[in-house]
Amino acid sequence: MKLTGADLVVKALEAEGVRWTFGIPGTHNTELYDALERSEQVTPMLVTDEQCASFMADGVSRTSDQVGVANVVPGAGVTHCLSGVGEAFMDNVPLVVLATGMRRDTGKSYQLHHIDQLAILRPITKAAFRPERPEDIYPIVRQAFAIARSGTPGPVAVEIPANFFLFSHEIGPLSYDGAGSLRPPEASSGDLDQAARLLEGAAFPALYIGNGAKACQAELIELAEKLGAPVVTTVQGKGVFPEHHPLWLWNTFGNAAPAFVRNIMDRADCLLAIGCRFGEVATASYGLQTPENLIHVDINKDVFHKNYPAKLAVESDAGVFVRGLLERLKRRPQNAALKEEIRRGHEDIWNDWRQSPSKERVTPSLFLSSLQKILGPDAIYATDSGNGTFVAMEMLRLDQPGCFIGPIDYSCMGYSVPAAIGAKLVNPDRPVAALAGDGALLMTGLELMSASHYGIAPLIFVLRDGELSQIVQFQRTSLNRDTCSVLHPYDLEALAKSCHAHYCDLPNDAAIDKTIHAALEKAKDKKPVVINVAIDYSQKTFFTKGVVKTNLWRLPWSERLRMLGRAAYRHLIAR
C-alpha cells in the first residue's frame, strides 16, 4: 500500500492510544500536521512555545496512563522543547519527542534549521532514533513508546527526515515486534529472605518511599502496618503513601523535616527505601542520615550506592519486591504510642501555622488547607520551581499518586501552567490547580490563550509576592541582600484578559473560600481562571531552613565565618 511517512507516524500514534500531540507546525512538518488533522483519534494542539509543548506532554504522562507527545519542527523547535525533555529525563516521566529532521534526498548542505539534533537529544533521553528507511518509521515510533514506558520511565526522541513526510512510499503490512518492551527485574528469593531478616531483626524499622513505587500503594500500606513502621516519602513521591494514614510522617527526613519527624527517624535502625534515588532535592541537599542497615530497592541498578551506601541493594520492580516481602514477614504488635506521637506532631505543626496568620496578605497554610477542602480528594496540583513547591509539599495532604506534579530534579521555572493544562486535558472531570510563582508565570503564562482556545479550564493560582521567593530567601539569609530577584511589576488581570482567561483576586485570608468558589464557578465556562493570590512568604519552609543549615555546616569554618561576617556587616550598615 502507498503511505506517506506522515501517515505512518499517525498510524503508530493511533496504535499507542495517543489522543493529543503538542507543538507548532513549520515548513518541514506540514504534511505530518495534515495527516494528524485527518486522524479521528489524534488531535494536534497548537502551543505558544515548544517548551510548553513538552511541559503539557509531561502533564499528560504524569496524570494518566497515556504517554505525552511533543511534535516539533527542526532546529529551534527542538531546542525550545529541551527544558521539558530534561525535566522528564530527570524526573523519570515517559515522553515521546517527534523531531522533524532535514531532507536527506537533496544532497544539499546548510539547510534551514540544520543542526545535529540527535547529538543534542541523546544526553537527555533514554534513546534517540532516526529511521533510515520509510518502512522503519512505524516500528521505530512504536518502539519509542515501549522504551519510554519500560524500566525507569523517561523521554525518547525520534527524528524523521522531512522528505519521508513529503513523499508516498510502498509499504507492506504494518507490524511491530515489541522491541523496546522489557520485562522488569524481579527480586530473587535470596534478596527477599535477606531483606526480611534485616527487617525482622530491627527494633525500629522505617520506610522511605519514592515515586517508583506508585503502582503498589495497597501493598505499601499493608507493609507499613505489618511492620508498624513510620513512612516518609520523597518530594516526587508525595501521595504514593496516603498522607492521612497514621504512620505517614513527611515528604523527607533529616534537616529539612520538622523536629518530630527527625526524632522519630533518628530511632530507625533499619530503613527500607523503595523506588527512590536519594537525589539532592529528595534529601534536601543530602541533609539526612541513613542507618547502617539500609535496604535500597529500585528498578534501576545504576542508582545504588551513589549517595548512600546500602547494606542490601535489590534490583526489582517495587510491586514484585513488596509482595514477595509481605509473604516473609510476621505482623508486629500495633505501636499505639508511635501513632500518637505522629498524630501529635502533625497537630503541633498545624497549630503553629494557624497561630501565625498573615496580617494583611494570604497565609499559605490557610489557603492550601481551604483549597484542598474545597477541591476535594481527586484534585491535581501542579507546582512550579521554587518556594511554592515546598510550601505545597509541606501543607497539602494527598492520598494517591499522580495528584502532585512539579519540576523536581531538573527544576524548570514555568512548568506549572502548561503542565496543568496537559493534566486537565486528560482529566476533564477532576479539579486541576496550578500553583504558579509570579516569576514562573512570566515564562509560560501566554499558554493561557491555548487553554482558552481549546476550552481547557485549570485554575491558575499565581502566588504573588513580587519576588523569586526561593532565591531571595537564600540571598537574604546568606548575603543580606537581593540581586535580580525582585520582579518587575506587571498587571496580571490585563494579562489574563488578553489571553481570554477569567480573573479573580485573592487579597487576604478573609477572601480565601469565597474566591476559590468563585473561581470554580467561572471555570464552568470552559476557560482557565487566573487567581491573583497575595501570598505571604514571610515564614520559611522547613525545607528551606534545612537546606540552609545543611549547606552552611558543610562549609569549612573559615568560609562559614566569612559568610556570617559578611551578612552581619551588611545588616549593620543597612540599619
Side-chain angles (χ1 to χ4, degrees), residues 55-241:
F55 286 152
M56 285 186 192
D58 177 296
V60 167
S61 294
R62 294 201 205 205
T63 61
S64 74
D65 59 359
Q66 297 182 42
V67 174
V69 178
N71 177 22
V72 296
V73 297
V78 169
T79 56
H80 285 178
C81 84
L82 288 179
S83 291
V85 179
E87 192 67 61
F89 184 69
M90 291 289 286
D91 285 356
N92 303 140
V93 178
L95 205 70
V96 169
V97 181
L98 295 177
T100 309
M102 295 298 102
R103 290 190 62 168
R104 300 172 69 82
D105 61 326
T106 65
K108 300 297 185 183
S109 299
Y110 311 116
Q111 294 185 48
L112 175 68
H113 299 321
H114 190 191
I115 57 173
D116 189 345
Q117 296 180 146
L118 294 186
I120 295 171
L121 287 162
R122 282 192 182 103
I124 56 170
T125 56
K126 291 181 68 178
F129 299 104
R130 179 192 295 128
E132 297 299 329
R133 304 176 303 165
E135 54 266 38
D136 296 333
I137 293 174
Y138 180 85
I140 284 179
V141 173
R142 297 289 306 275
Q143 183 182 2
F145 280 87
I147 294 172
R149 294 188 188 99
S150 294
T152 300
V156 178
V158 182
E159 179 192 278
I160 300 173
N163 53 292
F164 288 175
F165 289 151
L166 190 60
F167 302 120
S168 60
H169 317 275
E170 190 64 43
I171 303 293
L174 299 181
S175 63
Y176 164 59
D177 63 4
S181 297
L182 301 175
R183 182 181 177 87
E186 298 184 1
S188 68
S189 294
D191 284 338
L192 288 165
D193 290 342
Q194 187 177 352
R197 284 195 298 271
L198 288 169
L199 289 164
E200 294 278 12
F204 197 94
L207 303 181
Y208 180 49
I209 308 299
N211 198 50
K214 66 182 180 181
C216 57
Q217 187 186 72
E219 292 93 337
L220 291 171
I221 295 170
E222 184 180 353
L223 178 62
E225 292 174 349
K226 204 166 190 178
L227 288 170
V231 181
V232 290
T233 74
T234 63
V235 182
Q236 196 174 340
K238 187 172 180 66
V240 170
F241 191 89

Side-chain angles (χ1 to χ4, degrees), residues 307-374:
N307 296 320
Y308 292 85
K311 171 82 75 172
L312 173 63
V314 183
E315 182 187 9
S316 179
D317 171 81
V320 170
F321 174 85
V322 175
R323 288 187 288 272
L325 184 63
L326 284 169
E327 296 173 357
R328 291 164 165 79
L329 293 175
K330 298 176 182 177
R331 183 172 292 275
R332 295 186 179 214
Q334 290 295 302
N335 190 340
L338 173 62
K339 292 180 179 178
E340 175 60 17
E341 184 179 2
I342 294 172
R343 188 199 66 77
R344 274 200 325 270
H346 285 297
E347 183 178 64
D348 290 345
I349 293 295
W350 278 101
N351 286 337
D352 287 345
W353 283 334
R354 293 189 184 103
Q355 289 171 7
S356 304
S358 177
K359 294 180 180 179
E360 298 179 348
R361 296 174 67 83
V362 176
T363 307
S365 59
L366 293 176
F367 163 62
L368 289 172
S369 60
S370 292
L371 180 64
Q372 187 166 2
K373 181 178 180 180
I374 293 168

